[in-house]
């Protein structure tokens, strides 16, 4: 581990909306994830970045600094984080393996091979997703690097050990290069390397993973498209398509004039795009229910194409661009800035039974708890500085604290 802070040149600008600020961190990256427990952004840094390459980097979204890098292996590429924030799994372009990163100890851990075909060679990771509620188990969309089609099945691994049943396109599955979990037993897959337009439902159980159904999408083929599952029974694609996946998937609307990576802001119910416009980058947000534009901002601090965009909670977003920048966008109007300055804290996180909050001089009047699809679980007046959450099932939730002036502080927490 490199126990130093790596201070990179950071640019900070305000744009037309005075509530929004844009900052950039100059670092080459292949992927990024956000950990809501520690409020940090984690990125994979390739060897092309120089002395701190082949590592996971830790970015503080409040100071816009790359605080640390931890060596991982040859050309780290894609990432996935467990829903309890314990582990990050990293795939590689330079090795047919996956490596586990411990977020708490900030150390690289278990590394395991994905297996190989006796004729076509080793499997590499094209996409990784952690099974909800099972931080030691992952789904991997595998690929070959020497043939086309490259798809080499979806498989489930528990602490590096593969389950026997895999979903291979020539056997019991369809091509699923990109995957997203709806829940611990249902996995979505999308074929982005052929013209089958296939959006697939795959069942996950103790024996492995297999295809339930494949559904043709009428919106057209999207090469290398990385869709997102929003947790609200909807899936969003880079070309603006919205699929309702509450039962049999169907197209229920389209966000207009978009062509770039997509993310969902669950706190504010916004669908966000990093749009590529002839080398110019546009950050655009839409109301998830009405498909109407919320706002549209030109990003002048970076140029080229957006490779990925994520929501970082509380009106903050991050994207990686082809000119080797991590762009951090902060919308103060959505970020509960007053409460942040007051240093409100909620602890412990993860929580087993009693969740405490310290609001300093702020007078908190009510507390509400929501699940990850926006359903209100509880709404109480504040009588003391803690609440009993022993009745909640294990999972990720959102807490909202409201003061006497109706300012709202919200944060995610893990119930164990």
């Amino acid at each position: 581990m490199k126990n130093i802070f790596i201070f990179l040149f950071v640019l900070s600008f305000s744009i037309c909306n005075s509530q929004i600020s844009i900052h950039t961190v100059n670092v080459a990256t292949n992927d990024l994830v956000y950990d809501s427990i520690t409020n940090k952004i984690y990125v994979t840094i390739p060897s092309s970045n120089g002395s701190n390459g082949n590592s996971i980097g830790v970015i503080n979204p409040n100071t816009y600094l790359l605080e640390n890098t931890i060596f991982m292996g040859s050309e780290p590429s894609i990432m996935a984080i467990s829903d309890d924030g314990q582990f990050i799994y990293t795939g590689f372009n330079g090795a047919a393996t996956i490596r586990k990163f411990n977020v708490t100890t900030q150390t690289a851990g278990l590394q395991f091979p994905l297996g190989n075909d006796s004729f076509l060679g080793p499997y590499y990771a094209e996409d990784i997703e952690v099974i909800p509620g099972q931080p030691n188990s992952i789904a991997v969309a595998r690929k070959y690097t020497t043939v086309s089609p490259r798809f080499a099945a979806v498989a489930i691994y528990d602490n590096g050990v593969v389950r026997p049943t895999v979903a291979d396109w020539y056997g019991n599955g369809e091509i699923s290069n990109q995957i997203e979990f709806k829940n611990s037993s249902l996995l979505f897959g999308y074929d982005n390397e052929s013209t089958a337009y296939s959006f697939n439902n795959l069942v996950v159980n103790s024996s492995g993973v297999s295809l339930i159904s494949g559904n043709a999408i009428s919106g057209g083929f999207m090469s290398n498209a990385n869709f997102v599952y929003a947790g609200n029974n909807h899936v969003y694609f880079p070309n603006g398509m919205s699929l309702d996946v509450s039962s049999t998937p169907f197209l229920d609307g389209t966000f207009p004039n978009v062509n770039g990576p997509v993310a969902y802001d669950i706190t504010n119910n916004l669908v966000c795009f990093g749009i590529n416009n002839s080398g110019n980058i546009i950050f655009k947000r839409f109301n998830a229910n009405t498909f109407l534009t919320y706002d549209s901002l030109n990003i002048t601090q970076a140029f080229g194409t957006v490779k990925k965009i994520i929501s970082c909670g509380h009106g903050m977003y991050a994207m990686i661009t082809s000119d080797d920048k991590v762009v951090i966008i902060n919308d103060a109007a959505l970020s509960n800035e007053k409460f942040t300055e007051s240093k409100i804290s909620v602890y412990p996180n993860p929580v087993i039974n009693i969740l405490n909050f310290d609001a300093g001089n702020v007078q908190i009047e009510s507390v509400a708890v929501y699940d990850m699809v926006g359903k209100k679980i509880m709404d109480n007046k504040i009588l003391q500085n803690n609440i009993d959450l022993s009745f909640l099932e294990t999972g990720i939730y959102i807490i909202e604290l409201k003061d006497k002036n109706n300012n709202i502080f919200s944060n995610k927490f893990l119930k164990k």
Side-chain angles (χ1 to χ4, degrees), residues 31-34 42 44 56 77-83 85-91 98-101 103 127-131 135 137-140 179-181 308:
D31 199 3
L32 77 173
V33 296
Y34 173 67
Y42 291 84
T44 47
I56 278 182
S77 54
I78 56 171
M79 314 171 76
I81 188 168
S82 60
D83 57 8
Q86 286 191 65
F87 305 117
I88 293 173
Y89 293 85
T90 303
I98 284 178
R99 193 163 197 183
K100 194 175 184 180
F101 176 81
V103 174
D127 199 9
I128 307 170
E129 294 295 330
V130 186
I131 299 181
S137 300
I138 60 174
V140 183
I179 52 176
E180 288 273 350
F181 275 102
K308 187 172 181 179

Side-chain angles (χ1 to χ4, degrees), residues 51-350:
S51 60
N52 62 355
N54 289 332
S55 67
I56 278 182
V58 186
I59 295 176
N60 187 322
N62 297 314
T63 63
Y64 320 110
L65 294 174
L66 179 65
E67 293 183 339
N68 198 10
T69 59
I70 303 93
F71 177 79
M72 289 295 289
S74 178
E75 306 301 340
S77 54
I78 56 171
M79 314 171 76
I81 188 168
S82 60
D83 57 8
D84 62 0
Q86 286 191 65
F87 305 117
I88 293 173
Y89 293 85
T90 303
F92 300 88
N93 290 328
T97 62
I98 284 178
R99 193 163 197 183
K100 194 175 184 180
F101 176 81
N102 189 308
V103 174
T104 301
T105 62
Q106 297 284 284
T107 55
L110 173 69
Q111 187 167 11
F112 57 91
L114 295 176
N116 66 282
D117 180 89
S118 59
F119 180 72
L120 296 175
Y123 308 133
Y124 289 74
E126 176 149 351
D127 199 9
I128 307 170
E129 294 295 330
V130 186
I131 299 181
Q134 302 177 39
N136 292 300
S137 300
I138 60 174
V140 183
R142 305 183 310 202
K143 68 178 180 180
Y144 301 110
T145 59
T146 57
V147 296
S148 180
R150 62 185 181 272
F151 180 63
V154 175
I156 307 297
Y157 295 82
D158 304 301
N159 285 314
V161 179
V162 65
R163 297 183 191 178
T165 302
V166 301
D168 208 339
W169 70 277
Y170 56 78
N172 64 332
E174 298 283 353
I175 291 177
S176 295
N177 312 92
Q178 299 296 324
I179 52 176
E180 288 273 350
F181 275 102
K182 181 178 183 180
N183 52 52
S184 60
S185 60
L186 181 58
L187 182 67
F188 296 131
Y190 179 68
D191 170 10
N192 66 12
E193 67 168 317
S194 77
T195 55
Y197 315 119
S198 180
F199 182 80
N200 307 312
N201 291 340
L202 302 107
V203 64
V204 176
N205 53 38
S206 58
S207 66
V209 57
S210 56
L211 180 73
I212 301 174
S213 62
N215 305 275
I217 300 176
S218 61
F221 173 60
M222 294 164 288
S223 177
N224 297 316
N226 196 346
F227 69 94
V228 297
Y229 173 65
N232 61 352
N233 280 323
H234 280 78
V235 163
Y236 302 118
F237 283 87
N239 67 352
M241 292 194 313
S242 169
L243 292 187
D244 185 313
V245 292
S246 55
S247 55
T248 301
F250 67 92
L251 182 67
D252 71 342
T254 302
F255 301 98
N257 303 315
V258 297
N259 65 326
V262 58
Y264 178 64
D265 178 352
I266 189 172
T267 305
N268 301 296
N269 195 34
L270 297 172
V271 181
C272 313
F273 293 86
I275 299 172
N276 308 311
N277 182 23
S278 300
N280 299 307
I281 295 171
I282 301 171
F283 172 67
K284 200 166 186 176
R285 295 183 287 184
F286 295 85
N287 183 294
N289 297 327
T290 66
F291 298 94
L292 296 176
T293 302
Y294 180 83
D295 61 4
S296 181
L297 305 170
N298 291 319
I299 306 298
T300 60
Q301 295 80 14
F303 190 80
T305 60
V306 179
K307 298 194 289 184
K308 187 172 181 179
I309 182 172
I310 60 172
S311 171
C312 302
H314 308 306
M316 189 170 287
Y317 313 88
M319 62 175 74
I320 53 177
T321 58
S322 59
D323 61 344
D324 294 340
K325 290 183 174 66
V326 175
V327 180
I328 299 173
I329 303 167
N330 185 15
D331 185 347
L334 302 178
S335 65
N336 308 301
E337 186 175 12
K338 291 182 180 179
F339 273 29
T340 300
E341 291 177 352
S342 301
K343 298 181 180 179
I344 287 183
S345 59
V346 176
Y347 62 94
N349 192 359

